[in-house]
Amino acid sequence: MNCPLRRTAALLFATAALAGAVCPPASAAPGPDATLEAECSTRVRGSHATADCFNGNSTIDRVQLHIECVRWWDPDMDTAPVAVTPARHVALTQRCWLGIRHAWVTHTPG
């Protein structure tokens, strides 16, 4: 039995298979606007801040940890910029005297 619904389904599957073979998935390669930054996680414990950064990209990323202290008389601190080469990990630490209000990492291309 030759059903039009079966023919339509076969045509849709064939079209989808052809489109998948011709057009790669959108996530296959980063686009020209993609930022290639190291992945960093920041942790604050009391008056100490730590940033763990891993660079899974093929370019160098310079990372820097910044902290804002709670007390007005406690100076805000920044670490020196550190270059994270491809497939490498760095840990940055900094502290305030009594407490940290906010900690963040900035990135600069290699």
Side-chain angles (χ1 to χ4, degrees):
M1 198 169 222
N2 204 354
C3 178
L5 183 61
R6 191 175 280 174
R7 225 178 305 141
T8 305
L11 183 60
L12 286 174
F13 284 129
T15 305
L18 183 59
V22 173
C23 302
S27 62
D33 297 341
T35 57
L36 299 176
E37 296 179 343
E39 293 182 27
C40 297
S41 62
T42 306
R43 183 175 59 249
V44 175
R45 288 189 181 148
S47 62
H48 291 81
T50 304
D52 293 308
C53 299
F54 175 74
N55 188 2
N57 303 304
S58 61
T59 58
I60 297 174
D61 186 20
R62 294 174 59 83
V63 295
Q64 187 174 14
L65 174 64
H66 309 275
I67 59 172
E68 181 181 340
C69 300
V70 172
R71 306 285 189 246
W72 65 269
W73 46 263
D74 200 357
D76 298 341
M77 303 296 287
D78 303 320
T79 63
V82 176
V84 187
T85 56
R88 295 292 182 185
H89 171 267
V90 296
L92 306 170
T93 59
Q94 193 55 269
R95 69 181 300 269
C96 292
W97 283 102
L98 289 178
I100 295 175
R101 176 173 290 131
H102 185 62
W104 68 97
V105 175
T106 57
H107 302 265
T108 307

